[in-house]
Amino acid sequence: MTTAVLGSSGNRELLALLGRTPLARVTADLPCPQPGFWAKLEGLGVGGMKARAAVSMLLGARERGELLPGAPVVESTSGTLGIGLAFAGQALGHPIVLIGDAELEPSMRQLLHAYGARLELVDRPAAEGGWQAARLARLRALLALLPDAYWPDQYNNPDNIAGYAPLAAELAAQLDHLDILVCSVGTGGHSAGVVGPLRRHWPGLRLIGVDATGSTIFGQPARPRLMRGLGSSIHPRNVAYAAFDEVHWVGPTEAADACRRLARGNFVSGGWSTGAVALVAAWAARVHPGAVVATVFPDGPHRYLGSLYDDDFTAAHGLDLTTAAGRPVEITHPRAVEATGWTRCRRVTDPLEGRAPTPRTGEASP
């Protein structure tokens, strides 16, 4: 393919479906009894949470003249942003070309095709940077063949952050007060996009970031990651490091256990990111009695029925959910030790400011 294929004029009426997702009270044991927290159910919104960012990035590019009417949009995705871009492409009239990888679930591949996206898959991870680096290499090759195409570059695009201003407004309208906000961190978009507006409502608001073990975002060494959509093997410029009060790294065993407990105990659940933030939000509600705690569930459970909700999958990947940690190990610095399971650090630094050796030790926190 050497020339861009222009799309239709789109269907802007779809944009009226964006956002306005419900807020649920979560009281399930995760894994310990906890007084409850609030969860914004973005999985019940059209296109999922990242449809907000996708629409914002495409509209911003159009306003600046970087994205021509009907021109294709090319992006790397582990799945969730792909759905959001498919929605934005339909609404605004742009063909969507997505670069995924061999670990993308068959159900997600089928859904992206059904929504009209063109999907390209890389078949092996890069020696350095894993699947993410391999997808980005294929993306750059495609951009060379599509001179009119636009790359949103979700990890480094301020319009990603701006797309979550309505999410902050919805939370402010739905809550009378908020003490602690728990956010998953992948691109860094939604945490950066909501914390500023919410702190204007509640200046004392504390922000807890939730990352995946094996992710480099907060200074840990890069390792292969089973969980998709949470963490990164690069350092996104969208991450607002100074806004975080602490960070937790969560492993796949704890995330999968939390997802299943959510499904059984509250009838709302989701994927890896949802399980991870639910675990940390429940912990925060438990160790800060009387605090109002809220988090965002980025998606729903359906994509993950063949993975974290499947006993054969969890067994094949060595996830014994009966051993899921009930509290985090605490470390004093993000590079002090390597987080191999649920780990907490009350110091947040920008990892690009320097690196240090990472032994594998730590002590349990309350």
Side-chain angles (χ1 to χ4, degrees), residues 75-294:
E75 182 59 289
S76 161
T77 182
S78 61
T80 308
L81 180 69
I83 297 295
L85 281 172
F87 170 80
Q90 282 196 31
L92 301 175
H94 295 279
I96 302 298
V97 182
L98 301 171
I99 296 86
D101 58 60
E103 293 189 353
L104 187 65
E105 301 92 342
S107 60
M108 180 57 71
R109 300 182 195 189
Q110 294 163 355
L111 191 57
L112 290 169
H113 283 303
Y115 284 138
R118 170 185 161 191
L119 183 61
E120 300 248 346
L121 297 177
V122 295
D123 58 6
R124 62 174 60 88
E128 186 173 337
W131 288 115
Q132 194 169 26
R135 295 197 306 264
L136 290 172
R138 175 71 68 84
L139 182 148
R140 292 185 178 94
L142 281 175
L143 287 175
L145 299 175
L146 296 169
D148 294 327
Y150 172 68
W151 173 29
D153 190 10
Q154 59 169 324
Y155 290 89
N156 304 299
N157 189 335
D159 291 328
N160 179 345
I161 297 171
Y164 293 106
L167 174 58
E170 291 170 31
L171 283 167
Q174 290 169 312
L175 292 167
D176 295 326
H177 182 70
L178 184 59
D179 296 300
I180 300 171
L181 178 67
V182 178
C183 286
S184 59
V185 185
T187 69
H190 91 273
S191 53
V194 300
V195 69
L198 290 180
R199 279 181 173 156
R200 287 192 284 274
H201 283 270
W202 303 296
L205 177 66
R206 292 179 57 81
L207 177 63
I208 300 177
V210 181
D211 198 2
T213 54
S215 165
T216 65
I217 292 178
F218 289 96
Q220 286 280 304
R223 298 284 184 260
R225 301 191 313 278
L226 179 62
M227 298 192 288
R228 300 179 69 80
L230 180 66
S232 176
S233 59
I234 62 176
H235 297 103
R237 289 199 299 271
N238 284 339
V239 179
Y241 290 100
F244 291 96
D245 293 284
E246 63 182 88
V247 60
H248 289 233
W249 294 271
V250 174
T253 298
E254 286 72 31
D257 178 65
C259 283
R260 294 186 180 200
R261 289 177 180 273
L262 281 171
R264 289 194 303 268
N266 252 98
F267 210 81
V268 295
S269 195
W272 300 109
S273 297
T274 293
V277 295
L279 176 71
V280 175
W283 170 88
R286 189 168 69 247
V287 301
H288 298 285
V292 179
V293 180

